[in-house]
Amino acid sequence: MHKNRPGPSAKGRVTLKTIAEATGLSLSTVSLSLRGGTTLKQETRDKVAAAAKALGYVPDRAGVRLRTGKTNVLALVLDGAEDSIDFARQMIQGIGQALQGTPYHLNVSPEFDRHSTDTIRYILENRTADGVIITHTGPRDPRVQMMVDADFPFVSHGRTEFFSPHPYHDFHAEVFATQAVERLVGKGCQRVLLVIGDDSTTNYHNIVTAFHKAAARNGIETTLLERTVSLTPAEMRAKGIELSQSADRPDGVICDSEMRALALLGGFMEAGVVIGGDVHLIYKQTSGILPTIFPRLDSVREDIVGAGVELTRLLQLRIDGAPVEELQTLAEPQPQWRSGD
């Protein structure tokens, strides 16, 4: 009777030698492929990756670190503020997509204080990652300064105002603000309100500056409802009711997040305001939730999954030694004009 040949798992831990024997490739080729070697043919890399997955290969991180000084870990220091719907899941999804077929794994550390450097300091002192992705940067972000000083690979989701360049990928917020103003002007709006969150971020300053410039060019009145990041949804809803009842109620609203837009809309509607009639509203879209609830409401979309993919690409290039000046990209806003003109 023919007996099944025992698989590698029956013999113990799967090693590089196991994969080499299974693929017919040399040990050095397998090792290079699993390290993400770009000099190999894609066909070879795919063959090694498929064999490693089928055999259940798990890298010995401690051994890798001893041999190479690398952890094969990327760290995402994720802002914990709840001002964007589904931001965290989509960002992690994008990074995960970009890491497929690479030796890297992702560690996620939520940070609830945007001014804290504790997580970055821990990573730098203990070298728990080969590179870092941070979000929600400020103009003079101390986390950025710390990593620049340490010459540690990182990329930020957001720009800063530092003289020294650093890798970043950012939403082109100035274009978003300009597009929204011009859309509202086209609908006849003369009193436009900008609802915006944390004034400590560079994104805030970029949006506000572009908003005022676009409004001035078009000769319309403007007001700001700012520092709303600390307001609860119930408080934001109450603001909507309050605005609806004011003598100088805006006829156009631009909102920098779906979370705030949803709460504000609830207040408007409770006060009897007709959205798309009495008030036109445009929001920055980061999920499919509001388009489902308000299918006729205009938005400008930011692709968070795509941002995660791009941030990971830039970080891997930086780890490999690419010049900082080549690692600065902007994502263009995607207008979703759903309402009639």
Side-chain angles (χ1 to χ4, degrees):
M1 182 177 175
H2 176 72
K3 293 183 180 180
N4 290 331
R5 183 180 178 182
S9 59
K11 299 180 181 180
R13 187 173 182 275
V14 177
T15 65
L16 297 182
K17 184 178 180 181
T18 313
I19 299 172
E21 291 173 350
T23 58
L25 298 169
S26 69
L27 195 62
S28 60
T29 298
V30 170
S31 176
L32 179 60
S33 180
L34 290 174
R35 295 200 309 273
T38 55
T39 57
L40 297 174
K41 292 181 179 179
Q42 187 62 47
E43 180 183 356
T44 301
R45 295 168 64 187
D46 292 343
K47 183 177 182 179
V48 172
K53 184 177 181 180
L55 294 168
Y57 173 71
V58 178
D60 180 357
R61 288 195 193 175
V64 170
R65 188 168 184 175
L66 282 172
R67 290 193 305 273
T68 67
K70 296 186 66 176
T71 63
N72 283 347
V73 171
L74 302 183
L76 169 62
V77 181
L78 188 65
D79 187 87
E82 297 181 357
D83 59 351
S84 295
I85 295 176
D86 214 23
F87 178 89
R89 183 192 66 81
Q90 292 186 78
M91 178 63 70
I92 293 170
Q93 180 181 338
I95 296 171
Q97 286 180 10
L99 291 182
Q100 288 183 356
T102 77
Y104 288 105
H105 298 264
L106 178 67
N107 283 350
V108 180
S109 299
E111 190 92 273
F112 295 95
D113 180 358
R114 289 181 178 173
H115 304 288
S116 173
T117 58
D118 291 348
T119 302
I120 298 300
R121 180 176 288 105
Y122 179 85
I123 293 171
L124 293 179
E125 290 178 351
N126 296 280
R127 286 298 192 266
T128 56
D130 297 329
V132 172
I133 298 171
I134 61 173
T135 66
H136 297 76
T137 52
R140 308 291 294 180
D141 199 301
R143 301 170 301 171
V144 169
Q145 186 67 67
M146 185 175 287
M147 289 186 284
V148 168
D149 290 345
D151 194 24
F152 189 79
F154 77 97
V155 61
S156 62
H157 186 228
R159 287 164 281 175
T160 67
E161 295 178 356
F162 286 111
F163 177 76
S164 300
H166 65 83
Y168 67 74
H169 176 67
D170 198 9
F171 179 63
H172 207 164
E174 302 93 318
V175 174
F176 154 66
T178 302
Q179 289 175 338
V181 168
E182 292 177 350
R183 175 68 169 174
L184 291 175
V185 169
K187 289 179 172 293
C189 297
Q190 290 296 313
R191 296 183 306 279
V192 176
L193 170 69
L194 174 63
V195 181
I196 191 163
D198 189 356
D199 63 358
S200 69
T201 64
T202 312
N203 182 68
Y204 166 92
H205 295 285
N206 291 339
I207 290 177
V208 170
T209 301
F211 170 70
H212 284 311
K213 286 182 178 179
R217 284 196 303 271
N218 287 278
I220 60 173
E221 298 177 24
T222 61
T223 51
L224 291 183
L225 178 58
E226 51 189 339
R227 299 178 182 175
T228 57
V229 71
S230 61
L231 297 182
T232 66
E235 291 170 334
M236 197 70 219
R237 182 187 180 94
K239 283 286 184 184
I241 296 173
E242 180 186 325
L243 285 167
S244 301
Q245 297 170 345
S246 64
D248 56 348
R249 183 183 69 198
D251 54 8
V253 176
I254 300 170
C255 204
D256 74 331
S257 88
E258 283 178 309
M259 190 80 76
R260 285 185 276 278
L262 185 58
L264 199 64
L265 284 164
F268 281 151
M269 295 172 69
E270 183 175 332
V273 170
V274 178
I275 304 299
D278 300 326
V279 174
H280 296 280
L281 186 145
I282 298 176
Y283 63 94
K284 188 175 82 168
Q285 177 190 338
T286 54
S287 79
I289 294 176
L290 252 68
T292 302
I293 302 172
F294 300 100
R296 300 292 296 166
L297 206 59
D298 287 339
S299 68
V300 179
R301 181 172 176 265
E302 178 182 7
D303 183 359
I304 303 300
V305 173
V309 171
E310 177 66 359
L311 286 163
T312 307
R313 183 186 75 86
L314 295 175
L315 181 55
Q316 289 181 280
L317 287 171
R318 183 57 184 153
I319 290 171
D320 290 341
V324 169
E325 292 77 9
E326 297 177 5
L327 306 177
Q328 299 174 331
T329 60
L330 291 173
E332 295 304 319
Q334 304 168 17
Q336 311 289 311
W337 302 150
R338 302 181 179 92
S339 60
D341 293 326

